[in-house]
Amino acid sequence: MGTTVAKSWTDDAPSPKALSEHTHLPDPLTYRIKKFFLGAPLNRHSLGQQRLSKRNAFGILSSDCISSSAYGGEQILVALIPAFGLAAFSLFSPLIAVILFMLLIISLSYRDVISTYTRAGGAYVVARENFGTNVSLIAAIELMFGYIITVAIQTAAGVAAVISAFPELSNGKVWITLSVIILLTYVNLRGVKEAGIFFVLPSYLFIGSMLTVFIFGAFRVLNGSLETFETSTPGLLQLGDEQGLLTFAALLMILKAFANGSASLTGLEAVSDSVALFKSPEHVNARRTFSVMAITLAVLVVGIGWLAYLTKAIPYAEGTPTVISLVAKASLGESIFSPIMYLVVQAGTMLILFAGANTCYSAFPNMIRIVARDGYLPKWLTSRGHKLAFSNGILFIATFASGLVIASKASITTLAAIYALAVFVGFTITGLGMAKKVRSESLKRFSLHLTSGVISLITVVVLSVVKFTDGTWLVVVGTPVVLIMMKNFNRRYNSEQRALQVSKADSKATSILRHYVTVLVDQVDLATIGAVRYARSLNPRNLHAVHFVLDDRKAEQIQKAWTSNHAVDDVPIEFIDCPDRRLPNAAVDYSLRITEQPDVELTLLLPRRAYRGFLGRLLHDQTAEEIARSISQLPRVVATIVPFDIDRILSGEITPPVKDEIEVMKPIEPIRAKSEWRTTGEKISHYQEKMMPIGKIQWRKRAHVVGKVTAIRPASMNSAPTLEIEIWDESGGVTLQFLGRREIAGLGVGTTLVAEGMVGERDGALTILNPSYEIQV
């Protein structure tokens, strides 16, 4: 009678096998609708693929800047014509020269900003590092105003280009503008990269069509066939009487014209605010893109202004046809191809203006994410959405821009002054902030930034005074109101953080073994410590903590805080990848895996920080209930929400425990399950050359596999150092166990890992002990 060899750690147990996927919960209706419109969610590890090349970055980020040439020069004439009549054209060229000089100085300043702040160098970041909190918040507010108004004015100007070609659409201007904003919002909710590709070609179409207009215009100038427009055409702005330039009224109108023309420079800040969107090296690619953008803007401003001057293109009182459409029609003439080419120019103008509005859908969410991360806006503005875009920021800007369009009736002249003031406040802060930063480093750089800041400051004063009744009052009055709101947000967040701060005095309860308990960890604070204390009172057989990784940087911070906090020395923490950011599904999958054995029961503890009132709900999202609802459908799994009332601490109703008031008890070392590694007398090789799917590996044989790291489980700090790593490919998953270490340098969830070693088993699952490995970059 032969000897019976056990198949696993106990007789009659099933053969160990590789890890396999589990069935997820059915998607709710709202998620199915989102997936239908936006497509499948992007894996967070594909975020690097959402970075922009220089070509796509030019299409997305420079369109706002270069598209302002379509209406900047026209706005100068809107101010001059009613005041000076045809003499306005003699003032037009000098004002264009002033605008170009400002463009040169500000562009050189921003090139240096991009080189200095290589991740994000907008006015907010520069002010925060050089002027402190209040000035940085003002910069953030003006950037917010500027981006919101950009969406409104650029879409309105794009619709004006359409109406210039098809005047019969003029009665639906507001509704068409709102429809465009809705379309842009939808495109951007589908992801940054897709939005960029969509708007790359229109940018080049506009540039190419305008260069064609300039060439035709130059040709007609040389042969004397360029016609000028009649000044008595119905619908034009009323011509004013010529007057001297030294009167107060004349100077005031010139300043108004200068203020209007400054709108030509809006959009320059978009690249510096979005350096992080570029492919590596980010700041080098951003600087090159910015240089091309500034040169292109200069060429377009000069070309359109030159043709407007020669053709005496007077703006219409209703805003359509636009000056850019008039100069295009004059330059193209009356040839057989002129009508088609004219429509191409108008299409290019329309699309570049829409692309300019689209720029804000990339730059605005990224900018307010930085402000929200600092605690001055609601934290939900930092979350990435279905397609890895900052969806909440996109919806935020679309909502307020739509309100502006309705309030202004899509009037470009009404919006231009507000737009320019908000942007030039940012220019001022950036220039003066950089001057302060480099004053002891380089006289040349100091002079450049000081000049840029002073020029911008003068423009801000002019805009605030001469255009106050035309709309800039909104910025002047609105800025302090929003500043107070943001500081209140920050005070609230800071008080909550102080209430949740973990001290060494936080106690631990003794552990008595029985069933498995897992604490879901989002941050290491008093609420989490309270959940761990409650978990110990349940006397679990095994007590673990789990963090589902949505953000690698946050995971690193949690790991450092966990390993350095003696209150949780006996609780190992596991980091599990959650690439689609759907926490309920990740929790269900984890629970199914833990309870595969029929004698295992699992309690999931979910720390929930309770906030009262409207402000508490506004500043924090609620996910514990969603996870609990999903877990409640599983057998042998209990989800327990452990509430922690922040407001009672803030109000003084209860006091956080201090060291003298509690007794710190030494936890009992939990008994861990024994893993039995069995070998046979058969001859085996010491290396497996052939790569194989994880699902095909066999117990007690060597395996050579490659997969994505989905979970990392270091042992607790007061136990023997071990590290378990879970890797998966399309066929299944396997655990790699390393003895004598708690980490592997350069390894994180989402990393691709190649491993080779002997396949054993642990608790019925295949495990490779101390494999040789290679991290693939």
Side-chain angles (χ1 to χ4, degrees), residues 445-465:
R445 294 172 64 196
F446 171 75
S447 301
L448 171 65
H449 293 300
L450 182 62
T451 303
S452 174
V454 171
I455 289 175
S456 301
L457 179 60
I458 293 172
T459 307
V460 167
V461 174
V462 171
L463 284 165
S464 300
V465 174

Side-chain angles (χ1 to χ4, degrees), residues 222-251:
L222 292 175
N223 65 17
S225 61
L226 183 67
E227 298 182 358
T228 58
F229 290 101
E230 292 290 335
T231 59
S232 58
T233 305
L236 295 178
L237 287 174
Q238 185 176 358
L239 293 176
D241 298 325
E242 296 186 12
Q243 57 179 299
L245 301 180
L246 298 181
T247 65
F248 177 77
L251 291 174

Side-chain angles (χ1 to χ4, degrees), residues 291-343:
S291 299
V292 175
M293 177 187 75
I295 293 171
T296 303
L297 175 62
V299 171
L300 291 172
V301 169
V302 170
I304 295 172
W306 173 61
L307 289 175
Y309 172 80
L310 293 177
T311 59
K312 298 297 185 287
I314 300 175
Y316 279 73
E318 293 295 324
T320 55
T322 60
V323 167
I324 193 172
S325 70
L326 295 175
V327 300
K329 186 172 292 186
S331 298
L332 296 173
E334 301 294 337
S335 67
I336 189 173
F337 297 107
S338 294
I340 297 176
M341 191 60 204
Y342 173 75
L343 292 177

Side-chain angles (χ1 to χ4, degrees), residues 337-595:
F337 297 107
S338 294
I340 297 176
M341 191 60 204
Y342 173 75
L343 292 177
V344 171
V345 172
Q346 291 306 103
T349 304
M350 173 195 72
L351 291 175
I352 190 63
L353 287 162
F354 291 165
N358 180 73
T359 300
C360 302
Y361 283 92
S362 299
F364 176 83
N366 192 57
M367 187 273 296
I368 63 172
R369 174 186 64 87
I370 298 173
V371 181
R373 191 175 60 195
D374 290 343
Y376 293 100
L377 287 174
K379 295 289 188 182
W380 45 261
L381 291 171
T382 65
S383 302
R384 293 187 183 272
H386 193 74
K387 287 287 189 175
L388 295 179
F390 295 106
S391 304
N392 293 326
I394 291 172
L395 294 174
F396 186 100
I397 190 174
T399 300
F400 283 92
S402 298
L404 275 177
V405 168
I406 295 172
S408 66
K409 298 181 180 179
S411 170
I412 299 172
T413 302
T414 301
L415 295 169
I418 314 172
Y419 183 25
L421 176 57
V423 171
F424 270 87
V425 170
F427 289 168
T428 302
I429 293 173
T430 301
L432 297 180
M434 284 297 296
K436 181 180 179 182
K437 181 178 181 64
V438 303
R439 68 181 184 273
S440 60
E441 300 175 8
S442 169
L443 178 60
K444 180 179 178 182
R445 294 172 64 196
F446 171 75
S447 301
L448 171 65
H449 293 300
L450 182 62
T451 303
S452 174
V454 171
I455 289 175
S456 301
L457 179 60
I458 293 172
T459 307
V460 167
V461 174
V462 171
L463 284 165
S464 300
V465 174
V466 304
K467 302 290 288 185
F468 185 84
T469 57
D470 294 333
T472 58
W473 64 267
L474 180 64
V475 176
V476 175
V477 175
T479 297
V481 173
V482 178
L483 178 64
I484 293 172
M485 292 175 58
M486 294 173 72
K487 291 181 77 68
N488 283 336
F489 287 157
N490 185 252
R491 277 194 294 269
R492 172 73 183 196
Y493 278 127
N494 286 338
S495 60
E496 291 171 358
Q497 186 176 7
R498 287 192 298 270
L500 291 169
Q501 189 172 5
V502 180
S503 66
K504 294 181 179 180
D506 297 316
S507 64
K508 301 181 291 181
T510 58
S511 298
I512 302 176
L513 306 175
R514 191 166 59 191
H515 67 285
Y516 293 168
V517 175
T518 297
V519 180
L520 301 188
V521 177
D522 181 59
Q523 53 186 317
V524 183
D525 57 18
L526 201 56
T528 301
I529 298 301
V532 172
R533 182 187 299 114
Y534 174 71
R536 293 198 186 96
S537 72
L538 300 177
N539 298 323
R541 177 175 180 269
N542 280 325
L543 173 58
H544 290 85
V546 166
H547 172 70
F548 294 109
V549 180
L550 306 180
D551 180 270
D552 294 312
R553 182 176 296 177
K554 183 176 181 180
E556 292 176 4
Q557 294 172 350
I558 289 176
Q559 183 176 19
K560 291 179 181 178
W562 195 269
T563 56
S564 63
N565 194 307
H566 297 300
V568 290
D569 274 348
D570 62 315
V571 183
I573 186 169
E574 179 178 358
F575 293 87
I576 297 178
D577 193 18
C578 186
D580 62 357
R581 302 165 302 285
R582 299 172 66 189
L583 290 175
N585 270 12
V588 168
D589 190 69
Y590 171 81
S591 302
L592 288 171
R593 185 136 35 94
I594 294 299
T595 58

Side-chain angles (χ1 to χ4, degrees), residues 25 27 63 85 156 185 227 257-258 284 304 324 337 369 417 422 468 473 506 510 579 591 626 661 701 713 768:
L25 295 171
D27 294 332
S63 51
T185 303
E227 298 182 358
F258 165 74
V284 174
I304 295 172
I324 193 172
F337 297 107
R369 174 186 64 87
F468 185 84
W473 64 267
D506 297 316
T510 58
S591 302
E626 296 179 21
E661 297 175 346
K701 293 189 177 181
R713 296 186 288 271
I768 303 178

Side-chain angles (χ1 to χ4, degrees), residues 658-673:
V658 295
K659 184 173 183 179
D660 295 334
E661 297 175 346
I662 57 177
E663 179 182 359
V664 180
M665 302 184 67
K666 184 177 181 181
I668 297 176
E669 174 70 13
I671 301 173
R672 289 171 173 78

Side-chain angles (χ1 to χ4, degrees), residues 133-213:
T133 301
N134 289 330
V135 177
S136 68
L137 290 180
I138 292 173
I141 293 168
E142 303 312 322
L143 286 171
M144 290 168 59
F145 285 170
Y147 284 131
I148 292 171
I149 300 167
T150 298
V151 174
I153 193 172
Q154 298 279 52
T155 50
V159 171
V162 176
I163 296 175
S164 296
F166 304 100
E168 59 272 15
L169 298 176
S170 59
N171 291 333
K173 182 178 180 179
V174 172
W175 292 109
I176 296 174
T177 305
L178 292 175
S179 300
V180 172
I181 291 176
I182 293 173
L183 177 61
L184 292 176
T185 303
Y186 171 72
V187 169
N188 281 273
L189 286 174
R190 291 189 61 89
V192 172
K193 188 175 182 180
E194 294 183 22
I197 293 174
F198 185 81
F199 285 107
V200 165
L201 292 180
S203 300
Y204 293 111
L205 174 63
F206 174 72
I207 295 170
S209 62
M210 290 311 302
L211 290 177
T212 302
V213 168

